[in-house]
Structures are given as structure tokens and as C-alpha cells.
Amino acid sequence: MGGSVITYKERSMAANHDNIRRIAEEIASSRARRLIIIHGGGSFGHPLAKQYRIGEGYYSEAQLIGVSKIHGSMVTLNRMVVEALTAVGVPAMGISPSSFVVAENGRIGSADFGIVERLADKGIIPVLYGDIVLDGAKGFSVISGDQLAARLAIDLKAHKLLFGVDVDGVYTSNPKLAPEARLIERLPISRLRGIFEVGGALTTDVTGGMLGKVSEASMAAEAGVEVLIFNASKPENTYRALKGEGVRGTIIVR
Amino acid sequence: MGGSVITYKERSMAANHDNIRRIAEEIASSRARRLIIIHGGGSFGHPLAKQYRIGEGYYSEAQLIGVSKIHGSMVTLNRMVVEALTAVGVPAMGISPSSFVVAENGRIGSADFGIVERLADKGIIPVLYGDIVLDGAKGFSVISGDQLAARLAIDLKAHKLLFGVDVDGVYTSNPKLAPEARLIERLPISRLRGIFEVGGALTTDVTGGMLGKVSEASMAAEAGVEVLIFNASKPENTYRALKGEGVRGTIIVR
């Protein structure tokens, strides 16, 4: 669940309760099992991380307060997502990445996802989120929900990895700015290297974090996970994606 | 921080904000370092755990919702404690036991407290809490803050383990009911076996969970940790206990 879907990015710490509630209902209707949810931070994460300059190595007392606030803000958003799920009868449980994940230079290092898998096996949906975690090299770093989702999909050998965002998928250029932008429905990993290296629409991260998302997603696709980027702001799409029904979007293929 | 200190036990999910704020200020004034806080659930934990009959092995869909609600409720209380600390300039971070601890028959089994220790080393106070966790034998079980505190103290070789409760310590009988009750200022572990076996005040858990607390505390004392049970509802006591200044209470000695 992209941060752009469940929060209003332009306003500080403003949750999009309508989207959160609707998506929770779609998850309930789909009766999806062995599902793991990972959500981004949107306006609950990025502005604070920027303000406190996290990831620069040295931590003043003020920055340590920043670490505290960023994590707290993410937990607040996580509670909203989990409560929306339990409100529609879906057993869910917030899981804090910072309580068990350590990063190395901004990338997830050691992490045992055994508890996440066991909860899913028992019928409880674990709900993780982009979080600020200990970093062996940089003190602390922010681990995006996208990185976490791809890593979980790879480690737990997921069948599918679904990225719900606020656009229909990956475009040839920014669809919010260029009217000629065209949705790429099938994106083979081989094409990605070209896109990343040559430049063009994807090299500047103008589409709401799409570059990072595609980069993480491609690692999961490489590992054999079926990856779909779709628009979760549009009603029914999350339901359809979970049911495996056709939904407009970008499939990333090996 | 006992659940009886930071919540009103007789009311459902009612935090004692005055005590939370005051204790946060005392912690700030003490400038305690390499401190780890563990709090109980009080009215945020016990009633729900009882209502959903957690720990009986089989889990219906309704009980899984219960697991979700108990954990959520504890996170809500945890956020209040953490926010009270950051509000007075103390960097703190909520750590979810259920995200990394697995129990076996109600006792903490595998648990790696490395992240907790590293946060404390960096100057951030980890704030843990009694939580509902996966249990290899019973599906889920509630791990009390007391059990967690003693285990952390033993594993991390703590110098001191301080239990802040709403009475002055361990009494010869329930001080809230019996006027002749006398505070036991020094309680050697050797005396505990007698108390637990022979009966008397401590064998029925009338003093607000004191029996379980003393039992957990004695394990830490056995391992060489200095253990003090004191009244955190009284102003200045938490500050004095953290500074190592004299404070009325029960010292449990090996």
C-alpha cells in the first residue's frame, strides 16, 4: 500500500481515511489468505526523515529525538491501517520492522521473517511498514516499504507481489505532467537496465517514488515472484488484484 | 513501569496521564543512560486478554481479532509513554516484543535483544511492554512486562532492575486490606520459596500482581541483578531509584 494512496502527500501527517477504509473492505471481500501487507509512510514519514537528516552517520540528541518521532509517526499510521482491517473483521497485527531488522548502508541486512510467516500461517495478516531502523554503517536509516516488500517476497518465496500506487503503473513518462505518457503494461527486467542507464522518464523520480519502486520490484521479479504495479486509489482494483482478476497496471517480468 | 501506575485499573483503557507525564519528567531529570523501559498493560491489556480467552490453544476467527485488538491496545498505551518521554527531550523508541519474541508455554523462548541493547548504547531508550506473542505450544500467549523485564535484565546483564508499582513494595500481607501489613525491606530469595509454598499473603495474588512480579524478580536477583520494588505512584521515587538514592521499597537479594 503506497504512501501516496493511504496519506495525502502534500499535507503533513494527513491520512487518507477513505482509501484506507475502502482498501480494508476490498481485502476483507477478497478473503485473501496468507497475505502480508506492507505500507509506505507518505506524509507520515518523508517530511520528518528529511527534517532530521536521517542517514548521515552522526546523531545529535536532537536527531535521536527525530528517530523517535519518525518511528512514532509511522506507528500511528500503522495503527490506522490495522484498525481499519480489524473493523471489517480481518485479523491483523502491526509488526515493527525496527524491532527486528538491522540495515547496512540503507539496505536490509540481517532479518528473520519467521514470525511474519507464522502469523500469516495462523490467519493473522501481519502489517509492516517503511520504518527507521538501526544501520550498522550509518547509525540509522530509513527502509522503504518497497524495499521491505521485495525482500519479504523473495525471502518467503511469495507467489505475488502487488504494489498499490496512485497511478495506473509505470509510464513512458510522468502521466501527471505529460499527456502523451503511455502505460507500459509488460515491463521485462531486461528493459529496465536500459531505462535506468539511458535516462528518460524513470531516471528522475517524478512519479511519486516510482523509480525506487521499480528497482525493488525488479529484484523480486528476478527471483521469480509475479510482480504487479496497479492503481489502488481506484475502487475495486485491490480486490481484483488480490483475486487474480485482470486489472490495469504494469507487470514486471523476468 | 507497572500497569497499575500508568493506567487506572478499574476503568477500561484509561491511561493515567498524570503519572506517565510525571515519571517521564523524573526520567529526564535523572539523565539516566543505558536505560531500558518496560511497561505493563493495566486496563489496556488484562481485560481484553481475559475477554478473548488467550492462551487456550485453539484460535477462532473471533479470537484472532482479539489477538489483533490486544496488541493494538498495548501499542496505543506504548505510544503514550514514548510520546511523554520525547515531549521532555528524552529520545525513546517503542519496541514491539511480538515482532521478535516467540514464547513456549507462556515463557519467553527464543529472543534476540541485540537491537534493544544497541538502541540503548546509542542513547535512545527502548520502551518495551507486556505483549501478546506467538507461542510454540499455545498459539499465542500474553507475556507480562514483569517476565520481559527480568529476562532482559538477565540477558543483558543489567546492573539494576527497578519495578515501579503502586504500593511501597512487598508486604507481609495486603497493605490495601490489612492495617497490620508491614513492608519487607529486604527479601532474600531463600525466604521466597517458603512464602510461595507455605502460603500467606503472597500466595494469593491480591497485591496487584505482586506474586508474579516477585517470582520474576527473584530470577533476576538469582542471576546477580540488583532488584528493587518501589512505589512509582509517589513523586520523586522514580528519580531517586534511578539515581541510586535511598528510596523506600523492597530489595530482593540473592
Side-chain angles (χ1 to χ4, degrees):
Chain A
M1 297 168 68
S4 59
V5 176
I6 60 170
T7 75
Y8 294 102
K9 282 213 157 179
E10 60 284 2
R11 285 192 268 151
S12 172
M13 295 188 67
N16 187 327
H17 292 288
D18 290 342
N19 274 353
I20 292 174
R21 200 177 306 119
R22 181 181 48 73
I23 292 171
E25 280 163 10
E26 293 185 33
I27 290 167
S29 310
S30 77
R31 303 200 64 78
R33 288 292 171 270
R34 304 196 76 241
L35 174 68
I36 296 168
I37 296 176
I38 300 98
H39 64 79
S43 57
F44 282 71
H46 301 293
L48 282 170
K50 205 170 165 184
Q51 179 188 338
Y52 286 99
R53 295 179 290 111
I54 297 305
E56 294 182 5
Y58 170 76
Y59 289 89
S60 63
E61 188 96 335
Q63 275 179 300
L64 293 179
I65 289 282
V67 170
S68 173
K69 286 192 178 167
I70 292 165
H71 179 250
S73 174
M74 288 305 304
V75 174
T76 299
L77 179 59
N78 183 252
R79 289 288 306 128
M80 294 177 193
V81 174
V82 172
E83 283 190 345
L85 287 163
T86 53
V88 292
V90 177
M93 193 161 165
I95 295 289
S96 285
S98 49
S99 294
F100 71 103
V101 170
V102 174
E104 198 63 42
N105 259 317
R107 303 297 301 174
I108 297 169
S110 64
D112 176 357
F113 295 113
I115 286 178
V116 173
E117 189 169 28
R118 283 172 71 174
L119 285 172
D121 283 342
K122 283 193 183 298
I124 291 191
I125 297 182
V127 186
L128 293 86
Y129 47 93
D131 199 2
I132 183 158
V133 305
L134 278 168
D135 188 305
K138 305 202 290 182
F140 292 94
S141 59
V142 173
I143 295 298
S144 72
D146 295 331
Q147 181 187 159
L148 192 60
R151 173 68 181 264
L152 269 164
I154 295 166
D155 282 14
L156 301 184
K157 302 189 199 320
H159 295 298
K160 291 186 195 174
L161 173 55
L162 308 170
F163 288 93
V165 295
D166 68 341
V167 290
D168 283 358
V170 183
Y171 282 79
T172 50
S173 55
N174 185 347
K176 290 177 181 170
L177 301 173
E180 76 280 7
R182 197 174 48 74
L183 181 71
I184 304 169
E185 294 191 355
R186 228 181 103 89
L187 185 55
I189 298 175
S190 58
R191 244 185 90 186
L192 282 174
R193 186 170 298 178
I195 293 171
F196 285 129
E197 282 175 0
V198 175
L202 290 172
T203 53
T204 46
D205 198 6
V206 287
T207 58
M210 196 58 87
L211 178 65
K213 203 175 295 284
V214 169
S215 166
E216 302 293 351
S218 66
M219 289 182 224
E222 183 78 54
V225 182
E226 197 183 313
V227 179
L228 171 68
I229 301 177
F230 71 100
N231 195 333
S233 291
K234 292 186 181 168
E236 295 303 314
N237 272 0
T238 301
Y239 173 86
R240 296 181 67 84
L242 287 169
K243 294 294 269 187
E245 297 175 6
V247 50
R248 182 175 162 83
T250 300
I251 294 171
I252 300 181
V253 290
R254 188 147 50 164
Chain B
M1 296 168 69
S4 59
V5 176
I6 61 170
T7 75
Y8 294 101
K9 282 213 156 179
E10 60 284 1
R11 286 192 269 151
S12 173
M13 295 187 68
N16 187 326
H17 292 289
D18 289 342
N19 274 354
I20 292 173
R21 198 177 308 119
R22 181 181 47 73
I23 293 171
E25 279 163 10
E26 293 185 33
I27 290 168
S29 310
S30 78
R31 303 200 65 76
R33 287 292 171 268
R34 303 198 73 243
L35 174 68
I36 296 168
I37 296 176
I38 300 98
H39 64 79
S43 57
F44 283 70
H46 301 292
L48 283 170
K50 204 170 166 184
Q51 179 188 339
Y52 286 99
R53 295 180 293 114
I54 297 305
E56 295 182 6
Y58 170 77
Y59 289 89
S60 64
E61 189 95 336
Q63 274 181 301
L64 293 179
I65 289 281
V67 171
S68 173
K69 286 192 178 166
I70 293 164
H71 179 250
S73 173
M74 288 305 304
V75 174
T76 299
L77 180 59
N78 182 253
R79 289 289 305 127
M80 294 176 193
V81 174
V82 172
E83 283 190 346
L85 288 163
T86 53
V88 292
V90 178
M93 192 159 165
I95 294 289
S96 284
S98 49
S99 295
F100 71 103
V101 170
V102 174
E104 198 63 42
N105 259 317
R107 302 297 302 173
I108 298 169
S110 62
D112 176 357
F113 296 112
I115 287 178
V116 173
E117 188 168 29
R118 283 170 72 175
L119 286 172
D121 283 342
K122 283 193 183 298
I124 290 190
I125 296 181
V127 185
L128 294 86
Y129 47 94
D131 199 3
I132 182 157
V133 306
L134 278 169
D135 188 304
K138 305 202 291 179
F140 293 93
S141 59
V142 173
I143 294 297
S144 72
D146 294 331
Q147 182 187 159
L148 193 60
R151 173 68 181 264
L152 269 163
I154 295 167
D155 282 17
L156 301 184
K157 302 188 199 320
H159 295 297
K160 289 185 195 175
L161 173 56
L162 309 170
F163 289 93
V165 294
D166 68 341
V167 289
D168 283 358
V170 183
Y171 281 79
T172 50
S173 54
N174 185 346
K176 290 176 181 169
L177 302 173
E180 76 280 8
R182 198 174 47 75
L183 181 71
I184 305 169
E185 294 192 355
R186 227 180 104 88
L187 186 54
I189 297 174
S190 57
R191 243 186 91 186
L192 282 173
R193 186 170 298 178
I195 293 172
F196 286 128
E197 283 175 359
V198 174
L202 289 172
T203 52
T204 46
D205 199 7
V206 287
T207 58
M210 195 59 87
L211 179 66
K213 204 175 294 283
V214 169
S215 166
E216 302 292 351
S218 67
M219 289 183 225
E222 182 78 56
V225 182
E226 196 183 312
V227 179
L228 171 68
I229 300 176
F230 71 100
N231 195 334
S233 293
K234 291 187 180 167
E236 295 302 315
N237 273 359
T238 301
Y239 173 86
R240 296 181 68 84
L242 288 169
K243 295 294 269 188
E245 296 176 5
V247 51
R248 182 174 162 84
T250 300
I251 296 172
I252 299 181
V253 290
R254 190 151 44 167

